[in-house]
Amino acid sequence: MKQFDYVQPKTMDEALASWEPGASWLGGGTNLVDLMKLGVAQPQRVIDLTRISDLGEITFQQNGSVRIGAMVSNADLARHAGFAQHFPMVAEALLSGASGQLRNMATVAGNLMQRTRCAYFQEETAACNRRTPGAGCDARDSDEEARALLGASPACVATNPSDFCVPLAALEAQVEVRGVNGTRQIPIAEFHLLPGDHPERETALEQGELIVALHLSAEAARFARHARYLKVRDRTSFAFATTAAAAALQMEDGIIVEGRLALGAVAARPWRVAEAEALLVGQAPDAALFARVAEAAMAGAEAPVHLEWKIDLARRTAARALAMAAAGTPARLPALPASPFGQQNGDLAHV
Amino acid sequence: MSLFISLTLNGEAREVSIDDPRVTLLDLLRERLALPGTKKGCDRGQCGACTVLVNGRRANACLMLAAGLDGAEITTIEGLARGEDLHPVQAAFIEHDGFQCGYCTPGQIMSAVGLIAEGDAGSDPERIREGMSGNICRCGAYHGITLAVQEASRRMAAKDEGGAA
Ligand SMILES: Cc1cc2nc3c(=O)[nH]c(=O)nc-3n(C[C@H](O)[C@H](O)[C@H](O)COP(=O)(O)OP(=O)(O)OC[C@H]3O[C@@H](n4cnc5c(N)ncnc54)[C@H](O)[C@@H]3O)c2cc1C
Ligand code: SF4
Ligand code: FES
Ligand code: FES
């Protein structure tokens, strides 16, 4: 690991003042410290944000919207009773990610900012445009499975590995960021950038800006009775998604009034398609409908021959997530959150 | 750089000097504080061998910078037993053959203590397996581990009720 200078500011002003080019913000360290050990991240200064107390709170407003401080841990957010009741698929996605230990350490902001798991990105000796602009991309002609099927570019085919961000995209969360020039809000759909010619630009954050909070609106809670996250993995638990989907429906008298669908692990950001969601409106839940919606959500997907199965798997994951959402949110999360295995049923939530 | 941090380590107040910010909690424990019970498997958060409790919650010591831990309360495997009295999780691991080579065991036990304190799994074997999935056992002692955590969880719940009555 390269040597660095470590600071632990107590206030936001101190934190902003301690930033300089080449510095990195530190949350739980579960991604940054790992990448520093690999030599992939080499910050000259590490600014630990975990002691800034106003970043650690979950606040429900009178109107039912919620503001989640950037340093709230993934575990605390998933287990917050009010939060899990209003936004159950976000809790389910969080609990399907990483491990019990890692979720205790990982923060909301760190999860949003986590880097791709592309094996060539993590291998210092491989060519990677995201790590070293202009170096080339060793993943493109490889058998890497964590490869984007949508929104990729000749420069980079990496995916965003976050589970948390998938339901956040479906629910149109807002990211509150702050820099020396003040505070602004970025819709989650604009937060993660597609690679284009500049895969090294990963998010809409400007130099020196940091995430202070995440917002979910009161309206996003209207899906709470029919909202599920489904994650297909190489092993039952403690693995990144091969494919994933967050599905949320608002139902009245057995008819879908509005539907949301975001796909995970298929692009450099959670993937949402308005035309696919529009197909749900006014319909009764039905397997054929969900298959059509999944097909539309994956429109334009491309994969090398050895990964064509992943397009099919992503469609099936989406269709099944929609069917699970239609069946209803369970009152208690299943023993295996977001898993295609194990007991799915049980009492439904009537929130 | 020279930095002093105060820790409560296995119940004892300690002042620890950190001369390099790169030192992880895992290396601090093993290399500098003579507590080698916490194991290093992957050093990347992937195996759980380094699990300790930080402020009562389970965490991977290999990904924590020690410099950030001023004021923290740390419990390692060395701090669980009370003299000759094993912690209920330790006792249950022995009774149920929750290990073979033993390398992953300190991490498994600390993770189980953390999981039981979280209170989500109870003695449901499926929830225990899911909750313990951050701890890999190369010997495949998972069956015994699950039985041990079930047993310890039941005993600790019974004791809590007994205490409250
Ligand atoms: C073995 C393993 C398995 C995992 N499995 C999964 C999984 O299945 N699903 C999943 O979704 N994730 C998984 N993860 C990833 C994990 O969710 C992330 O590592 C974690 O969420 C990062 O949060 P952190 O607080 O530890 O971030 P850090 O490591 O502290 O930081 C990560 C990045 O965010 C930046 N950052 C931190 N705070 C801020 C801020 N306030 N503003 C701006 N930038 C900031 C840092 O500079 C850094 O670039 C896994 C990780 C590991 C190690
Ligand atoms: S796919 Fe992107 S992250 Fe992976 S090696 Fe290519 S440029 Fe790097
Ligand atoms: S050594 Fe920490 S998780 Fe493997
Ligand atoms: S007992 Fe050998 S690794 Fe678990």
Side-chain angles (χ1 to χ4, degrees):
Chain A
M1 200 190 292
K2 281 265 159 62
Q3 190 55 266
F4 58 88
D5 148 44
Y6 172 87
V7 292
Q8 196 174 49
K10 300 285 186 297
T11 66
M12 185 63 84
D13 290 338
E14 254 182 79
L16 289 170
S18 56
W19 194 84
E20 61 182 26
S24 284
W25 310 114
L26 178 72
T30 62
N31 192 214
L32 184 63
V33 174
D34 188 18
L35 292 175
M36 285 164 65
K37 288 184 187 185
L38 294 173
V40 170
Q42 301 190 350
Q44 273 139 43
R45 169 174 289 182
V46 170
I47 306 169
D48 181 347
L49 302 174
T50 56
R51 299 291 171 107
I52 301 176
S53 60
D54 29 324
L55 294 184
E57 272 151 38
I58 303 173
T59 330
F60 272 90
Q61 317 290 339
Q62 283 295 340
N63 70 4
S65 67
V66 63
R67 180 181 191 274
I68 305 151
M71 291 294 115
V72 170
S73 76
N74 287 197
D76 283 346
L77 182 58
R79 284 210 208 88
H80 185 280
F83 180 81
Q85 193 188 9
H86 287 93
F87 309 105
M89 71 175 173
V90 183
E92 183 163 25
L94 281 169
L95 292 175
S96 75
S99 65
Q101 293 92 315
L102 289 162
R103 292 191 295 270
N104 280 339
M105 300 164 70
T107 63
V108 161
N111 196 321
L112 259 68
M113 293 295 292
Q114 65 172 296
R115 317 289 299 275
T116 182
R117 304 305 286 198
C118 173
Y120 299 88
F121 172 80
Q122 296 198 3
E123 172 49 58
E124 215 190 345
T125 58
C128 171
N129 287 323
R130 198 172 275 267
R131 192 164 18 81
T132 315
C137 170
D138 276 349
R140 261 171 54 86
D141 297 319
S142 76
D143 57 3
E144 172 63 271
E145 285 186 8
R147 180 192 179 104
L149 308 173
L150 291 153
S153 73
C156 178
V157 296
T159 60
N160 183 307
S162 169
D163 291 304
F164 183 43
C165 292
V166 184
L168 292 181
L171 297 177
E172 300 181 347
Q174 297 266 336
V175 187
E176 181 185 336
V177 308
R178 192 164 152 192
V180 282
N181 297 325
T183 300
R184 62 190 181 114
Q185 298 235 359
I186 308 173
I188 187 98
E190 293 163 25
F191 189 77
H192 297 105
L193 308 178
L194 291 179
D197 294 334
H198 289 284
E200 75 281 4
R201 284 216 58 204
E202 296 179 346
T203 71
L205 273 193
E206 300 290 345
Q207 290 262 320
E209 272 185 329
L210 61 88
I211 300 174
V212 290
L214 181 73
H215 295 259
L216 279 164
S217 69
E219 296 82 69
R222 71 187 181 280
F223 299 107
R225 289 170 68 164
H226 294 278
R228 293 301 300 270
Y229 183 67
L230 177 64
K231 175 180 179 187
V232 177
R233 300 158 252 196
D234 277 354
R235 58 183 182 197
T236 309
S237 180
F238 196 23
F240 283 94
T242 306
T243 55
L249 303 171
Q250 189 190 358
M251 312 256 306
E252 265 168 36
D253 304 326
I255 298 297
I256 300 165
V257 179
E258 193 186 348
R260 298 279 176 85
L261 176 68
L263 307 188
V266 296
R269 66 169 178 236
W271 199 256
R272 255 185 94 192
V273 175
E275 296 76 30
E277 292 177 356
L279 296 174
L280 291 162
V281 178
Q283 306 294 312
D286 161 67
L289 169 70
F290 294 153
R292 280 202 309 283
V293 173
E295 179 84 36
M298 289 295 293
E302 282 177 23
V305 178
H306 73 277
L307 272 185
E308 275 170 359
W309 58 267
K310 205 176 145 180
I311 298 182
D312 210 28
L313 186 64
R315 286 194 195 110
R316 290 174 192 213
T317 307
R320 180 139 161 203
L322 285 162
M324 286 163 63
T329 307
R332 185 183 181 201
L333 273 184
L336 306 178
S339 173
F341 305 118
Q343 183 81 23
Q344 291 298 335
N345 305 323
D347 295 339
L348 299 181
H350 294 287
V351 286
Chain B
M1 167 187 157
S2 171
L3 179 83
F4 280 91
I5 59 168
S6 309
L7 294 178
T8 305
L9 184 55
N10 293 330
E12 201 185 308
R14 298 281 289 263
E15 289 282 311
V16 180
S17 139
I18 312 268
D19 56 7
D20 187 324
R22 294 175 293 185
V23 175
T24 60
L25 174 59
L26 178 58
D27 289 338
L28 179 75
L29 293 169
R30 290 181 56 85
E31 312 290 336
R32 300 171 187 228
L33 298 176
L35 290 170
T38 307
K39 300 300 181 222
K40 184 183 281 192
C42 64
D43 214 20
R44 296 194 60 193
Q46 298 176 352
C47 75
C50 64
T51 306
V52 297
L53 302 183
V54 178
N55 299 323
R57 300 161 63 124
R58 52 187 172 148
N60 304 94
C62 68
L63 292 179
M64 281 197 161
L65 297 179
L69 289 169
D70 187 36
E73 199 177 300
I74 313 282
T75 309
T76 70
I77 190 73
E78 289 92 341
L80 274 194
R82 293 283 159 266
E84 292 297 303
D85 283 342
L86 293 182
H87 185 280
V89 175
Q90 290 174 306
F93 265 70
I94 293 172
E95 266 168 60
H96 291 277
D97 283 336
F99 49 87
Q100 229 180 84
C101 78
Y103 196 80
C104 70
T105 313
Q108 300 278 1
I109 290 177
M110 297 314 292
S111 188
V113 172
L115 175 72
I116 293 169
E118 285 160 20
D120 300 328
S123 56
D124 176 346
E126 190 88 309
R127 287 183 193 270
I128 289 172
R129 282 190 289 268
E130 169 67 27
M132 292 292 291
S133 71
N135 293 81
I136 308 293
C137 174
R138 189 66 185 79
C139 298
Y142 296 111
H143 183 63
I145 292 169
T146 306
L147 292 176
V149 180
Q150 277 184 289
E151 171 93 33
S153 169
R154 274 193 222 106
R155 266 191 224 156
M156 289 168 73
K159 200 170 152 218
D160 281 354
E161 271 169 34

